[in-house]
Amino acid sequence: MQRARIHITGIVQGVGFRPFVYNLAVRLKLTGWVKNTSAGVDIEVDGEKNILDDFIQSLHDEAPPLSHIDTLSASFLPENGFSAFEIIHSESLDGAFQPISPDVAICDDCLRELFDPHDRRFHYPFINCTNCGPRFTIIKDIPYDRPKTTMSGFDLCPDCAREYQNPLDRRFHAQPLACAVCGPKVTFERLNMGALANSEDAISATRSALSNGEIVAIKGLGGFHLACDATNAAAVKELRQRKLRVDKPFALMMPNIEVIMQHCFVSADERELLLSSARPIVLLKRKPESNIVEDVSPKLDWLGVMLPYTPLHYLLFFNALHSSSTLLAPLVMTSGNLSEEPIAVDNDDAREKLAKLADAFLMHDRDIHIRCDDSVVRVFDDSDGSETPDHKLTYPIRRSRGYSPFPVKLTKGTPQLLAVGSELKNTFCITNGDYAFLSHHIGDMENYETLRSFEQGVEYFEKLFRVQPVAIAHDLHPNYLATRYAIERAEREDLPLIPVQHHHAHIAACMVERELDEPVIGVAFDGTGYGEDGAIWGGEFMIADYKNYQRAAHLEYFPLPGGDAAIRKPARAALALLWSLGLAWDDDLAPVKEFSAQELTVLHNQLQKKINTPQTSSMGRLFDAVSALAGGRQTVNYEGQAAVEFEALADSSQESYPFSIERNCIQVKDVLAAIIQDVRMEIPKSQISARFHNGLAESVLNVVKKISRESDLQSVVLSGGVWQNVTLLRKTLAPLRKNGFRVYIHREVPTNDGGLSLGQAAIAAARLRG
């Protein structure tokens, strides 16, 4: 007989790991104990050596589906003489930490019980077990035990206590465990009228309000949603007006896959993603026959759709699930906030901030400790005939609920760092040991409310993962709120600052998640990134490793008159680009028609005298200008709108516009001249869009080939927000691979600025090691 002492790290708390270990030990007739600590899971067990080997192998092979083992170490000692196997109390260790599970969608077992009239949790909107339910959004500290969650105020009733204490029960130590007797409750209310209905009546009242065209604020896992009937044009229009969201697409929730397939084309990979435990919003191609209101996703041929992921969501769709006649139509389910503010999480906060947005509220009394928006992903179908490991990969757009705070594993031990990210689509990143913890989606750092949400998130992550940063990494842009936070905190705490160039961080983020250690050719295309020469970069080709980068080529500079004003009005960018290339502002051009003669004179003088006209090499701004020149979007009301709509127009044309390369700059004068000629010949916008995408993809290949000849590098990384354009991505990947390049794109973190902080952290770590 021997004793095995085992230590396991990874996602092994809050996922049913201890009852799994208990049952495995009992099955193998082993004695000993298992416990949670803030450093992982510890096990000591007595048995014959061959049985202990089987036990250790089964820990790997049979681990619960929601768990993720990073390390498992075992040592063998003399037997202890244990008389039984038991689960003992958790232990908190100073400075120790562990990854924690993201929130998990309701499991099939709980869903079945939810609609079983004979089950004691029939129609209980907070049913959960060790395999599902809230995690990240309710945890206050580790080890993950009920007193350290927002469930601490709900004392278990005798029936729930028996389940909680029984190692053979599916709800053993399920920390959010509750029932209608002892757990959280829902209420339906209208402003200044208090609770009008409770329990099932509250859900029925919500269903009725939605069916009648009202807008309801619904409290979910990570915050409030604003919901309305997605087939009701008046309701959707009203929601847009109240939320100040002019054109940006709304997310949708539909009751099941069958209903989604009535409205969207759904591949096997998309179906799998929709049904995954993360339950993200998945971008799907819209079917022409769908009766979803056009205003849900204006001028776009895709819809962002998710399935219900909480029992409360399923109860809202009850009749849709259990009746041939659907009572509740697909719902708009958008974040519960005024445009660009953080999502509301607290009941009183929602009553105040959503009062002018919602007609009614579906509340509950389980507190949300940390806000967490829905994640957004798409399936990128790279079926071009080439052999690639990225075939049909998941392509993240926003990484939040269901994925955060699952860490990115680092290949080398990293000092404790904080990387504060960028301004748009902000996330931050902290590192500890072999882990990089990328935060949930914070949003655009453009106001005090979002800054406070950012600060609260940083404080929460540092406490949860036991991080005291030894340095802070930040973007070069001096006026970003995140940069100001970094500077002020570093001064206050006497910490070193590590400034990181924006596009270098994009490339490094992809390198980290793809575990690349050697220098690469990085192609970073986005809208805005502060360059070391003070210009706005965004069409960059770099030779990069983690410590350094060399700017090998870029899009030629052109002026942005008014800076942000030219971003909001692509017509300005188009005219500035024409002016910089010596092309005339003829009266028949769409951007010219956007201005009066006097305004054109002012704009011309501004460009000539270089008054507030920063130079840019931004590929995002080039897309804006070309879209406007082709007769597309002249003014935008959300970031990337012109480019998104321009991509949606592209047809299958194989013709391309003639980009050229001079002095390591991509030249666009011939492209613009050809576009103007096509516009005058009334060539369809769909062909103009396709020709532009084709030509740009060819130019990427030509520049990469030139850099490769000079550097002898064959690995290419594509990162930056422009690569969310899957039309351009597909047209670029195939020729690069056919020319022998190893091409890497994002899989785990967004290619946009939502992944930037990971790259900042990797660069800062390399420089500190350096």
Side-chain angles (χ1 to χ4, degrees), residues 378 395-398 425 525 639 644 647 720-727 729 750-753:
R378 74 186 311 159
Y395 204 46
I397 306 298
R398 185 168 75 192
K425 300 177 176 64
F525 286 176
E639 195 233 350
V644 169
E647 179 199 357
V722 168
W723 294 112
Q724 291 174 133
N725 181 327
V726 293
T727 301
L729 183 61
T751 192
N752 58 43
D753 284 4

mmCIF file with all atom_site columns, all heavy atoms in Angstrom, residues 378 395-398 425 525 639 644 647 720-727 729 750-753:
data_model
loop_
_atom_site.group_PDB
_atom_site.id
_atom_site.type_symbol
_atom_site.label_atom_id
_atom_site.label_alt_id
_atom_site.label_comp_id
_atom_site.label_asym_id
_atom_site.label_entity_id
_atom_site.label_seq_id
_atom_site.pdbx_PDB_ins_code
_atom_site.Cartn_x
_atom_site.Cartn_y
_atom_site.Cartn_z
_atom_site.occupancy
_atom_site.B_iso_or_equiv
_atom_site.pdbx_formal_charge
_atom_site.auth_seq_id
_atom_site.auth_comp_id
_atom_site.auth_asym_id
_atom_site.auth_atom_id
_atom_site.pdbx_PDB_model_num
ATOM 1   N N   . ARG A 1 378 ? -18.060 34.564 -34.565 1.00 0.00 ? 378 ARG A N   1
ATOM 2   C CA  . ARG A 1 378 ? -18.542 34.067 -35.838 1.00 0.00 ? 378 ARG A CA  1
ATOM 3   C C   . ARG A 1 378 ? -17.714 32.848 -36.212 1.00 0.00 ? 378 ARG A C   1
ATOM 4   O O   . ARG A 1 378 ? -16.598 32.655 -35.716 1.00 0.00 ? 378 ARG A O   1
ATOM 5   C CB  . ARG A 1 378 ? -18.485 35.126 -36.931 1.00 0.00 ? 378 ARG A CB  1
ATOM 6   C CG  . ARG A 1 378 ? -17.122 35.447 -37.475 1.00 0.00 ? 378 ARG A CG  1
ATOM 7   C CD  . ARG A 1 378 ? -17.168 36.614 -38.457 1.00 0.00 ? 378 ARG A CD  1
ATOM 8   N NE  . ARG A 1 378 ? -18.194 36.484 -39.458 1.00 0.00 ? 378 ARG A NE  1
ATOM 9   C CZ  . ARG A 1 378 ? -18.698 37.501 -40.161 1.00 0.00 ? 378 ARG A CZ  1
ATOM 10  N NH1 . ARG A 1 378 ? -18.250 38.728 -39.951 1.00 0.00 ? 378 ARG A NH1 1
ATOM 11  N NH2 . ARG A 1 378 ? -19.628 37.311 -41.065 1.00 0.00 ? 378 ARG A NH2 1
ATOM 12  N N   . TYR A 1 395 ? -14.090 32.597 -34.690 1.00 0.00 ? 395 TYR A N   1
ATOM 13  C CA  . TYR A 1 395 ? -13.421 33.885 -34.838 1.00 0.00 ? 395 TYR A CA  1
ATOM 14  C C   . TYR A 1 395 ? -14.065 34.869 -33.862 1.00 0.00 ? 395 TYR A C   1
ATOM 15  O O   . TYR A 1 395 ? -15.178 35.362 -34.093 1.00 0.00 ? 395 TYR A O   1
ATOM 16  C CB  . TYR A 1 395 ? -13.587 34.349 -36.279 1.00 0.00 ? 395 TYR A CB  1
ATOM 17  C CG  . TYR A 1 395 ? -12.530 35.327 -36.769 1.00 0.00 ? 395 TYR A CG  1
ATOM 18  C CD1 . TYR A 1 395 ? -11.182 35.117 -36.537 1.00 0.00 ? 395 TYR A CD1 1
ATOM 19  C CD2 . TYR A 1 395 ? -12.897 36.463 -37.472 1.00 0.00 ? 395 TYR A CD2 1
ATOM 20  C CE1 . TYR A 1 395 ? -10.225 35.992 -36.996 1.00 0.00 ? 395 TYR A CE1 1
ATOM 21  C CE2 . TYR A 1 395 ? -11.949 37.358 -37.948 1.00 0.00 ? 395 TYR A CE2 1
ATOM 22  C CZ  . TYR A 1 395 ? -10.605 37.116 -37.702 1.00 0.00 ? 395 TYR A CZ  1
ATOM 23  O OH  . TYR A 1 395 ? -9.652  37.996 -38.166 1.00 0.00 ? 395 TYR A OH  1
ATOM 24  N N   . PRO A 1 396 ? -13.404 35.159 -32.725 1.00 0.00 ? 396 PRO A N   1
ATOM 25  C CA  . PRO A 1 396 ? -14.039 35.996 -31.705 1.00 0.00 ? 396 PRO A CA  1
ATOM 26  C C   . PRO A 1 396 ? -14.096 37.471 -32.100 1.00 0.00 ? 396 PRO A C   1
ATOM 27  O O   . PRO A 1 396 ? -13.143 38.020 -32.651 1.00 0.00 ? 396 PRO A O   1
ATOM 28  C CB  . PRO A 1 396 ? -13.141 35.792 -30.476 1.00 0.00 ? 396 PRO A CB  1
ATOM 29  C CG  . PRO A 1 396 ? -11.816 35.386 -31.023 1.00 0.00 ? 396 PRO A CG  1
ATOM 30  C CD  . PRO A 1 396 ? -12.064 34.686 -32.328 1.00 0.00 ? 396 PRO A CD  1
ATOM 31  N N   . ILE A 1 397 ? -15.225 38.090 -31.828 1.00 0.00 ? 397 ILE A N   1
ATOM 32  C CA  . ILE A 1 397 ? -15.415 39.518 -32.068 1.00 0.00 ? 397 ILE A CA  1
ATOM 33  C C   . ILE A 1 397 ? -15.411 40.269 -30.734 1.00 0.00 ? 397 ILE A C   1
ATOM 34  O O   . ILE A 1 397 ? -14.810 41.324 -30.597 1.00 0.00 ? 397 ILE A O   1
ATOM 35  C CB  . ILE A 1 397 ? -16.743 39.794 -32.802 1.00 0.00 ? 397 ILE A CB  1
ATOM 36  C CG1 . ILE A 1 397 ? -16.836 38.957 -34.080 1.00 0.00 ? 397 ILE A CG1 1
ATOM 37  C CG2 . ILE A 1 397 ? -16.893 41.286 -33.102 1.00 0.00 ? 397 ILE A CG2 1
ATOM 38  C CD1 . ILE A 1 397 ? -15.776 39.249 -35.111 1.00 0.00 ? 397 ILE A CD1 1
ATOM 39  N N   . ARG A 1 398 ? -16.100 39.695 -29.743 1.00 0.00 ? 398 ARG A N   1
ATOM 40  C CA  . ARG A 1 398 ? -16.094 40.247 -28.378 1.00 0.00 ? 398 ARG A CA  1
ATOM 41  C C   . ARG A 1 398 ? -16.034 39.077 -27.406 1.00 0.00 ? 398 ARG A C   1
ATOM 42  O O   . ARG A 1 398 ? -16.872 38.184 -27.449 1.00 0.00 ? 398 ARG A O   1
ATOM 43  C CB  . ARG A 1 398 ? -17.352 41.092 -28.131 1.00 0.00 ? 398 ARG A CB  1
ATOM 44  C CG  . ARG A 1 398 ? -17.341 41.793 -26.784 1.00 0.00 ? 398 ARG A CG  1
ATOM 45  C CD  . ARG A 1 398 ? -18.445 42.836 -26.704 1.00 0.00 ? 398 ARG A CD  1
ATOM 46  N NE  . ARG A 1 398 ? -19.767 42.265 -26.515 1.00 0.00 ? 398 ARG A NE  1
ATOM 47  C CZ  . ARG A 1 398 ? -20.899 42.953 -26.640 1.00 0.00 ? 398 ARG A CZ  1
ATOM 48  N NH1 . ARG A 1 398 ? -20.859 44.227 -26.986 1.00 0.00 ? 398 ARG A NH1 1
ATOM 49  N NH2 . ARG A 1 398 ? -22.067 42.376 -26.455 1.00 0.00 ? 398 ARG A NH2 1
ATOM 50  N N   . LYS A 1 425 ? -13.363 49.371 -27.490 1.00 0.00 ? 425 LYS A N   1
ATOM 51  C CA  . LYS A 1 425 ? -13.530 47.940 -27.174 1.00 0.00 ? 425 LYS A CA  1
ATOM 52  C C   . LYS A 1 425 ? -12.547 47.501 -26.087 1.00 0.00 ? 425 LYS A C   1
ATOM 53  O O   . LYS A 1 425 ? -11.956 46.426 -26.138 1.00 0.00 ? 425 LYS A O   1
ATOM 54  C CB  . LYS A 1 425 ? -13.344 47.083 -28.433 1.00 0.00 ? 425 LYS A CB  1
ATOM 55  C CG  . LYS A 1 425 ? -14.333 47.403 -29.551 1.00 0.00 ? 425 LYS A CG  1
ATOM 56  C CD  . LYS A 1 425 ? -14.047 46.564 -30.783 1.00 0.00 ? 425 LYS A CD  1
ATOM 57  C CE  . LYS A 1 425 ? -15.091 46.797 -31.858 1.00 0.00 ? 425 LYS A CE  1
ATOM 58  N NZ  . LYS A 1 425 ? -15.087 48.185 -32.379 1.00 0.00 ? 425 LYS A NZ  1
ATOM 59  N N   . PHE A 1 525 ? -3.895  45.829 -39.597 1.00 0.00 ? 525 PHE A N   1
ATOM 60  C CA  . PHE A 1 525 ? -4.815  46.763 -40.256 1.00 0.00 ? 525 PHE A CA  1
ATOM 61  C C   . PHE A 1 525 ? -5.925  47.133 -39.270 1.00 0.00 ? 525 PHE A C   1
ATOM 62  O O   . PHE A 1 525 ? -6.623  46.248 -38.770 1.00 0.00 ? 525 PHE A O   1
ATOM 63  C CB  . PHE A 1 525 ? -5.457  46.121 -41.493 1.00 0.00 ? 525 PHE A CB  1
ATOM 64  C CG  . PHE A 1 525 ? -4.550  45.982 -42.687 1.00 0.00 ? 525 PHE A CG  1
ATOM 65  C CD1 . PHE A 1 525 ? -5.014  45.327 -43.828 1.00 0.00 ? 525 PHE A CD1 1
ATOM 66  C CD2 . PHE A 1 525 ? -3.265  46.495 -42.702 1.00 0.00 ? 525 PHE A CD2 1
ATOM 67  C CE1 . PHE A 1 525 ? -4.209  45.186 -44.950 1.00 0.00 ? 525 PHE A CE1 1
ATOM 68  C CE2 . PHE A 1 525 ? -2.440  46.362 -43.814 1.00 0.00 ? 525 PHE A CE2 1
ATOM 69  C CZ  . PHE A 1 525 ? -2.912  45.704 -44.942 1.00 0.00 ? 525 PHE A CZ  1
ATOM 70  N N   . GLU A 1 639 ? -18.699 52.893 -34.939 1.00 0.00 ? 639 GLU A N   1
ATOM 71  C CA  . GLU A 1 639 ? -17.354 52.639 -35.444 1.00 0.00 ? 639 GLU A CA  1
ATOM 72  C C   . GLU A 1 639 ? -17.354 51.527 -36.488 1.00 0.00 ? 639 GLU A C   1
ATOM 73  O O   . GLU A 1 639 ? -17.932 50.461 -36.304 1.00 0.00 ? 639 GLU A O   1
ATOM 74  C CB  . GLU A 1 639 ? -16.443 52.230 -34.275 1.00 0.00 ? 639 GLU A CB  1
ATOM 75  C CG  . GLU A 1 639 ? -14.977 52.290 -34.594 1.00 0.00 ? 639 GLU A CG  1
ATOM 76  C CD  . GLU A 1 639 ? -14.257 50.980 -34.279 1.00 0.00 ? 639 GLU A CD  1
ATOM 77  O OE1 . GLU A 1 639 ? -14.849 50.104 -33.645 1.00 0.00 ? 639 GLU A OE1 1
ATOM 78  O OE2 . GLU A 1 639 ? -13.102 50.846 -34.707 1.00 0.00 ? 639 GLU A OE2 1
ATOM 79  N N   . VAL A 1 644 ? -18.182 48.138 -42.824 1.00 0.00 ? 644 VAL A N   1
ATOM 80  C CA  . VAL A 1 644 ? -19.045 46.956 -42.667 1.00 0.00 ? 644 VAL A CA  1
ATOM 81  C C   . VAL A 1 644 ? -20.082 46.908 -43.783 1.00 0.00 ? 644 VAL A C   1
ATOM 82  O O   . VAL A 1 644 ? -20.323 45.859 -44.403 1.00 0.00 ? 644 VAL A O   1
ATOM 83  C CB  . VAL A 1 644 ? -19.719 46.972 -41.282 1.00 0.00 ? 644 VAL A CB  1
ATOM 84  C CG1 . VAL A 1 644 ? -20.811 45.917 -41.204 1.00 0.00 ? 644 VAL A CG1 1
ATOM 85  C CG2 . VAL A 1 644 ? -18.694 46.732 -40.179 1.00 0.00 ? 644 VAL A CG2 1
ATOM 86  N N   . GLU A 1 647 ? -18.382 46.141 -47.157 1.00 0.00 ? 647 GLU A N   1
ATOM 87  C CA  . GLU A 1 647 ? -18.085 44.709 -47.301 1.00 0.00 ? 647 GLU A CA  1
ATOM 88  C C   . GLU A 1 647 ? -19.342 43.932 -47.676 1.00 0.00 ? 647 GLU A C   1
ATOM 89  O O   . GLU A 1 647 ? -19.308 43.028 -48.521 1.00 0.00 ? 647 GLU A O   1
ATOM 90  C CB  . GLU A 1 647 ? -17.504 44.142 -46.002 1.00 0.00 ? 647 GLU A CB  1
ATOM 91  C CG  . GLU A 1 647 ? -17.202 42.644 -46.100 1.00 0.00 ? 647 GLU A CG  1
ATOM 92  C CD  . GLU A 1 647 ? -17.068 41.962 -44.756 1.00 0.00 ? 647 GLU A CD  1
ATOM 93  O OE1 . GLU A 1 647 ? -17.140 42.637 -43.710 1.00 0.00 ? 647 GLU A OE1 1
ATOM 94  O OE2 . GLU A 1 647 ? -16.881 40.720 -44.738 1.00 0.00 ? 647 GLU A OE2 1
ATOM 95  N N   . GLY A 1 720 ? -5.737  43.095 -36.028 1.00 0.00 ? 720 GLY A N   1
ATOM 96  C CA  . GLY A 1 720 ? -6.305  44.437 -36.144 1.00 0.00 ? 720 GLY A CA  1
ATOM 97  C C   . GLY A 1 720 ? -7.755  44.358 -36.582 1.00 0.00 ? 720 GLY A C   1
ATOM 98  O O   . GLY A 1 720 ? -8.190  43.401 -37.228 1.00 0.00 ? 720 GLY A O   1
ATOM 99  N N   . GLY A 1 721 ? -8.519  45.386 -36.243 1.00 0.00 ? 721 GLY A N   1
ATOM 100 C CA  . GLY A 1 721 ? -9.955  45.367 -36.454 1.00 0.00 ? 721 GLY A CA  1
ATOM 101 C C   . GLY A 1 721 ? -10.409 45.190 -37.887 1.00 0.00 ? 721 GLY A C   1
ATOM 102 O O   . GLY A 1 721 ? -11.486 44.649 -38.144 1.00 0.00 ? 721 GLY A O   1
ATOM 103 N N   . VAL A 1 722 ? -9.598  45.639 -38.867 1.00 0.00 ? 722 VAL A N   1
ATOM 104 C CA  . VAL A 1 722 ? -9.999  45.485 -40.273 1.00 0.00 ? 722 VAL A CA  1
ATOM 105 C C   . VAL A 1 722 ? -10.127 44.015 -40.653 1.00 0.00 ? 722 VAL A C   1
ATOM 106 O O   . VAL A 1 722 ? -10.916 43.655 -41.536 1.00 0.00 ? 722 VAL A O   1
ATOM 107 C CB  . VAL A 1 722 ? -8.996  46.219 -41.191 1.00 0.00 ? 722 VAL A CB  1
ATOM 108 C CG1 . VAL A 1 722 ? -9.197  45.837 -42.654 1.00 0.00 ? 722 VAL A CG1 1
ATOM 109 C CG2 . VAL A 1 722 ? -9.155  47.731 -41.045 1.00 0.00 ? 722 VAL A CG2 1
ATOM 110 N N   . TRP A 1 723 ? -9.387  43.132 -39.954 1.00 0.00 ? 723 TRP A N   1
ATOM 111 C CA  . TRP A 1 723 ? -9.452  41.704 -40.284 1.00 0.00 ? 723 TRP A CA  1
ATOM 112 C C   . TRP A 1 723 ? -10.724 41.038 -39.773 1.00 0.00 ? 723 TRP A C   1
ATOM 113 O O   . TRP A 1 723 ? -10.917 39.840 -39.974 1.00 0.00 ? 723 TRP A O   1
ATOM 114 C CB  . TRP A 1 723 ? -8.206  40.981 -39.772 1.00 0.00 ? 723 TRP A CB  1
ATOM 115 C CG  . TRP A 1 723 ? -6.961  41.423 -40.473 1.00 0.00 ? 723 TRP A CG  1
ATOM 116 C CD1 . TRP A 1 723 ? -5.925  42.127 -39.951 1.00 0.00 ? 723 TRP A CD1 1
ATOM 117 C CD2 . TRP A 1 723 ? -6.637  41.213 -41.856 1.00 0.00 ? 723 TRP A CD2 1
ATOM 118 N NE1 . TRP A 1 723 ? -4.962  42.375 -40.909 1.00 0.00 ? 723 TRP A NE1 1
ATOM 119 C CE2 . TRP A 1 723 ? -5.382  41.824 -42.101 1.00 0.00 ? 723 TRP A CE2 1
ATOM 120 C CE3 . TRP A 1 723 ? -7.291  40.574 -42.920 1.00 0.00 ? 723 TRP A CE3 1
ATOM 121 C CZ2 . TRP A 1 723 ? -4.755  41.813 -43.341 1.00 0.00 ? 723 TRP A CZ2 1
ATOM 122 C CZ3 . TRP A 1 723 ? -6.674  40.569 -44.160 1.00 0.00 ? 723 TRP A CZ3 1
ATOM 123 C CH2 . TRP A 1 723 ? -5.425  41.174 -44.358 1.00 0.00 ? 723 TRP A CH2 1
ATOM 124 N N   . GLN A 1 724 ? -11.626 41.809 -39.149 1.00 0.00 ? 724 GLN A N   1
ATOM 125 C CA  . GLN A 1 724 ? -12.984 41.306 -38.919 1.00 0.00 ? 724 GLN A CA  1
ATOM 126 C C   . GLN A 1 724 ? -13.739 41.200 -40.243 1.00 0.00 ? 724 GLN A C   1
ATOM 127 O O   . GLN A 1 724 ? -14.762 40.521 -40.318 1.00 0.00 ? 724 GLN A O   1
ATOM 128 C CB  . GLN A 1 724 ? -13.742 42.241 -37.974 1.00 0.00 ? 724 GLN A CB  1
ATOM 129 C CG  . GLN A 1 724 ? -13.214 42.232 -36.553 1.00 0.00 ? 724 GLN A CG  1
ATOM 130 C CD  . GLN A 1 724 ? -13.891 43.271 -35.688 1.00 0.00 ? 724 GLN A CD  1
ATOM 131 O OE1 . GLN A 1 724 ? -14.309 42.987 -34.585 1.00 0.00 ? 724 GLN A OE1 1
ATOM 132 N NE2 . GLN A 1 724 ? -13.976 44.505 -36.159 1.00 0.00 ? 724 GLN A NE2 1
ATOM 133 N N   . ASN A 1 725 ? -13.236 41.872 -41.243 1.00 0.00 ? 725 ASN A N   1
ATOM 134 C CA  . ASN A 1 725 ? -13.787 41.813 -42.595 1.00 0.00 ? 725 ASN A CA  1
ATOM 135 C C   . ASN A 1 725 ? -13.415 40.451 -43.182 1.00 0.00 ? 725 ASN A C   1
ATOM 136 O O   . ASN A 1 725 ? -12.311 40.247 -43.687 1.00 0.00 ? 725 ASN A O   1
ATOM 137 C CB  . ASN A 1 725 ? -13.192 42.963 -43.426 1.00 0.00 ? 725 ASN A CB  1
ATOM 138 C CG  . ASN A 1 725 ? -13.711 43.012 -44.847 1.00 0.00 ? 725 ASN A CG  1
ATOM 139 O OD1 . ASN A 1 725 ? -13.999 41.994 -45.461 1.00 0.00 ? 725 ASN A OD1 1
ATOM 140 N ND2 . ASN A 1 725 ? -13.795 44.217 -45.390 1.00 0.00 ? 725 ASN A ND2 1
ATOM 141 N N   . VAL A 1 726 ? -14.338 39.490 -43.111 1.00 0.00 ? 726 VAL A N   1
ATOM 142 C CA  . VAL A 1 726 ? -14.004 38.121 -43.516 1.00 0.00 ? 726 VAL A CA  1
ATOM 143 C C   . VAL A 1 726 ? -13.889 37.993 -45.030 1.00 0.00 ? 726 VAL A C   1
ATOM 144 O O   . VAL A 1 726 ? -13.259 37.055 -45.528 1.00 0.00 ? 726 VAL A O   1
ATOM 145 C CB  . VAL A 1 726 ? -15.024 37.109 -42.958 1.00 0.00 ? 726 VAL A CB  1
ATOM 146 C CG1 . VAL A 1 726 ? -14.928 37.032 -41.443 1.00 0.00 ? 726 VAL A CG1 1
ATOM 147 C CG2 . VAL A 1 726 ? -16.440 37.430 -43.402 1.00 0.00 ? 726 VAL A CG2 1
ATOM 148 N N   . THR A 1 727 ? -14.473 38.926 -45.777 1.00 0.00 ? 727 THR A N   1
ATOM 149 C CA  . THR A 1 727 ? -14.282 38.927 -47.223 1.00 0.00 ? 727 THR A CA  1
ATOM 150 C C   . THR A 1 727 ? -12.814 39.198 -47.540 1.00 0.00 ? 727 THR A C   1
ATOM 151 O O   . THR A 1 727 ? -12.179 38.469 -48.314 1.00 0.00 ? 727 THR A O   1
ATOM 152 C CB  . THR A 1 727 ? -15.174 39.985 -47.891 1.00 0.00 ? 727 THR A CB  1
ATOM 153 O OG1 . THR A 1 727 ? -16.540 39.710 -47.576 1.00 0.00 ? 727 THR A OG1 1
ATOM 154 C CG2 . THR A 1 727 ? -14.992 39.983 -49.402 1.00 0.00 ? 727 THR A CG2 1
ATOM 155 N N   . LEU A 1 729 ? -10.346 38.898 -45.420 1.00 0.00 ? 729 LEU A N   1
ATOM 156 C CA  . LEU A 1 729 ? -9.556  37.845 -44.775 1.00 0.00 ? 729 LEU A CA  1
ATOM 157 C C   . LEU A 1 729 ? -9.448  36.620 -45.674 1.00 0.00 ? 729 LEU A C   1
ATOM 158 O O   . LEU A 1 729 ? -8.363  36.073 -45.887 1.00 0.00 ? 729 LEU A O   1
ATOM 159 C CB  . LEU A 1 729 ? -10.189 37.479 -43.431 1.00 0.00 ? 729 LEU A CB  1
ATOM 160 C CG  . LEU A 1 729 ? -9.461  36.442 -42.587 1.00 0.00 ? 729 LEU A CG  1
ATOM 161 C CD1 . LEU A 1 729 ? -8.068  36.927 -42.209 1.00 0.00 ? 729 LEU A CD1 1
ATOM 162 C CD2 . LEU A 1 729 ? -10.276 36.128 -41.328 1.00 0.00 ? 729 LEU A CD2 1
ATOM 163 N N   . PRO A 1 750 ? -10.186 38.576 -29.507 1.00 0.00 ? 750 PRO A N   1
ATOM 164 C CA  . PRO A 1 750 ? -10.596 39.332 -30.695 1.00 0.00 ? 750 PRO A CA  1
ATOM 165 C C   . PRO A 1 750 ? -9.413  39.901 -31.463 1.00 0.00 ? 750 PRO A C   1
ATOM 166 O O   . PRO A 1 750 ? -8.403  40.308 -30.884 1.00 0.00 ? 750 PRO A O   1
ATOM 167 C CB  . PRO A 1 750 ? -11.467 40.449 -30.121 1.00 0.00 ? 750 PRO A CB  1
ATOM 168 C CG  . PRO A 1 750 ? -11.946 39.925 -28.807 1.00 0.00 ? 750 PRO A CG  1
ATOM 169 C CD  . PRO A 1 750 ? -10.822 39.093 -28.281 1.00 0.00 ? 750 PRO A CD  1
ATOM 170 N N   . THR A 1 751 ? -9.555  39.948 -32.784 1.00 0.00 ? 751 THR A N   1
ATOM 171 C CA  . THR A 1 751 ? -8.549  40.582 -33.630 1.00 0.00 ? 751 THR A CA  1
ATOM 172 C C   . THR A 1 751 ? -8.614  42.102 -33.509 1.00 0.00 ? 751 THR A C   1
ATOM 173 O O   . THR A 1 751 ? -7.663  42.792 -33.842 1.00 0.00 ? 751 THR A O   1
ATOM 174 C CB  . THR A 1 751 ? -8.735  40.154 -35.093 1.00 0.00 ? 751 THR A CB  1
ATOM 175 O OG1 . THR A 1 751 ? -7.598  40.542 -35.848 1.00 0.00 ? 751 THR A OG1 1
ATOM 176 C CG2 . THR A 1 751 ? -9.985  40.752 -35.717 1.00 0.00 ? 751 THR A CG2 1
ATOM 177 N N   . ASN A 1 752 ? -9.741  42.614 -33.002 1.00 0.00 ? 752 ASN A N   1
ATOM 178 C CA  . ASN A 1 752 ? -9.868  44.067 -32.816 1.00 0.00 ? 752 ASN A CA  1
ATOM 179 C C   . ASN A 1 752 ? -9.195  44.491 -31.504 1.00 0.00 ? 752 ASN A C   1
ATOM 180 O O   . ASN A 1 752 ? -8.466  43.713 -30.887 1.00 0.00 ? 752 ASN A O   1
ATOM 181 C CB  . ASN A 1 752 ? -11.358 44.463 -32.861 1.00 0.00 ? 752 ASN A CB  1
ATOM 182 C CG  . ASN A 1 752 ? -12.178 43.731 -31.798 1.00 0.00 ? 752 ASN A CG  1
ATOM 183 O OD1 . ASN A 1 752 ? -11.758 43.603 -30.649 1.00 0.00 ? 752 ASN A OD1 1
ATOM 184 N ND2 . ASN A 1 752 ? -13.344 43.241 -32.187 1.00 0.00 ? 752 ASN A ND2 1
ATOM 185 N N   . ASP A 1 753 ? -9.471  45.704 -31.056 1.00 0.00 ? 753 ASP A N   1
ATOM 186 C CA  . ASP A 1 753 ? -8.798  46.220 -29.862 1.00 0.00 ? 753 ASP A CA  1
ATOM 187 C C   . ASP A 1 753 ? -9.176  45.463 -28.593 1.00 0.00 ? 753 ASP A C   1
ATOM 188 O O   . ASP A 1 753 ? -8.534  45.656 -27.550 1.00 0.00 ? 753 ASP A O   1
ATOM 189 C CB  . ASP A 1 753 ? -9.101  47.705 -29.684 1.00 0.00 ? 753 ASP A CB  1
ATOM 190 C CG  . ASP A 1 753 ? -8.308  48.576 -30.647 1.00 0.00 ? 753 ASP A CG  1
ATOM 191 O OD1 . ASP A 1 753 ? -7.585  48.011 -31.487 1.00 0.00 ? 753 ASP A OD1 1
ATOM 192 O OD2 . ASP A 1 753 ? -8.422  49.812 -30.570 1.00 0.00 ? 753 ASP A OD2 1
#
